[in-house]
Amino acid sequence: MSEPISIDIWSDIACPWCYIGKRNLEAGLAATASDEDAPQVTVTFHSFELSPDTPVDFDGDEIDFLAGHKGMPREQVEQMLARVTDVAAQAGLEYRFDLLKHTNTVKAHELLHFAKSKGLQHEMEERLMSAYFTEGKHVGRIEDLAALAAEVGLDADETRAALQADEFLDAVRADQAQARAYGITGVPFFVIDGQYGISGAQPAEAFTNVLRDLWAKRGAEQPADA
């Protein structure tokens, strides 16, 4: 039996292309699931902060933030968000930038590592992204994060204590250091089997093709009695 293909994803829950990329990867995985020899895959999410200097409670909407952060005219930002919203819709996501509460995401990243330690990282990643991009929920404050954690089956009190103690901050920083070592400057960034990098929210077919090719090569390399 071949070892599963590892997919390590550097992302930020406040990155609109990361949620789209996640959906496209899921669609790519679903397309291979019915293969006679379906690729076996393990997926792990890693921390990347797009705007670490953002305050927890940002005073303004997403247009205010991007116009100030990127120095872009508001009209250009509005056009950019409209395009992202259209692409998200094609991936089955309903982005609500009018509701979105921009915030610092370091605590959300700590929560993802806490969830990983409990075997619920994927569920927590999905819940955070949905809360942020489609529901207009706050994902920067500890109390709000503890409530979202409880929704996926984590203990709210244990979550709160871990976040208050910065219990997983070192794990976040380690992910960021690994990103720098890989030369990752933007997300989403997918590292497959520790050696192949895929940058950006690629279409589902890109993931399907890479996974099938890697799995076929892996099978060909297996000894006859494996």
Side-chain angles (χ1 to χ4, degrees):
M1 186 69 178
S2 299
E3 284 291 315
I5 297 170
S6 66
I7 302 180
D8 292 279
I9 308 170
W10 270 262
S11 67
D12 192 340
I13 61 98
C15 161
W17 294 105
C18 292
Y19 201 6
I20 295 167
K22 179 178 180 293
R23 275 292 183 275
N24 290 349
L25 171 63
E26 290 164 352
L29 291 172
T32 67
S34 59
D35 290 1
E36 184 175 345
D37 183 21
Q40 300 302 301
V41 176
T42 60
V43 178
T44 305
F45 291 94
H46 298 274
S47 303
F48 190 102
E49 288 180 271
L50 285 172
S51 305
D53 57 344
T54 303
V56 172
D57 292 299
F58 177 75
D59 184 17
D61 60 17
E62 186 70 353
I63 297 174
D64 293 326
F65 175 79
L66 290 172
H69 189 70
K70 296 183 178 294
M72 298 166 57
R74 289 182 65 86
E75 183 178 343
Q76 186 178 348
V77 172
E78 290 171 355
Q79 292 172 352
M80 182 179 71
L81 294 182
R83 174 174 172 265
V84 174
T85 299
D86 287 344
V87 177
Q90 294 170 27
L93 299 168
E94 184 183 356
Y95 279 5
R96 291 296 303 273
F97 287 108
D98 58 320
L99 301 178
L100 187 149
K101 294 179 175 62
H102 202 84
T103 187
N104 189 290
T105 60
V106 68
K107 286 297 175 187
H109 285 296
E110 290 179 43
L111 174 54
L112 287 169
H113 280 279
F114 173 68
K116 180 183 176 183
S117 74
K118 303 294 185 180
L120 290 170
Q121 189 194 43
H122 289 198
E123 293 84 352
M124 196 72 253
E125 181 86 17
E126 176 64 29
R127 188 67 196 95
L128 286 168
M129 287 182 158
S130 175
Y132 187 73
F133 283 109
T134 74
E135 301 168 40
K137 294 193 174 185
H138 204 299
V139 299
R141 298 185 296 237
I142 290 177
E143 286 303 320
D144 296 274
L145 291 170
L148 290 170
E151 291 183 23
V152 303
L154 294 167
D155 182 89
D157 291 335
E158 191 179 355
T159 300
R160 187 181 298 106
L163 295 179
Q164 289 172 340
D166 295 338
E167 190 175 335
F168 291 88
L169 182 58
D170 285 348
V172 173
R173 300 305 182 217
D175 275 355
Q176 293 169 330
Q178 184 62 67
R180 289 191 294 272
Y182 277 143
I184 298 171
T185 57
V187 288
F189 196 93
F190 304 81
V191 177
I192 302 180
D193 267 355
Q195 52 187 322
Y196 304 100
I198 298 178
S199 178
Q202 299 296 323
E205 295 77 14
F207 295 109
T208 301
N209 293 337
V210 169
L211 293 174
R212 282 175 172 155
D213 287 348
L214 278 176
W215 195 246
K217 290 176 182 176
R218 191 161 293 185
E221 292 168 357
Q222 289 291 308
D225 58 351

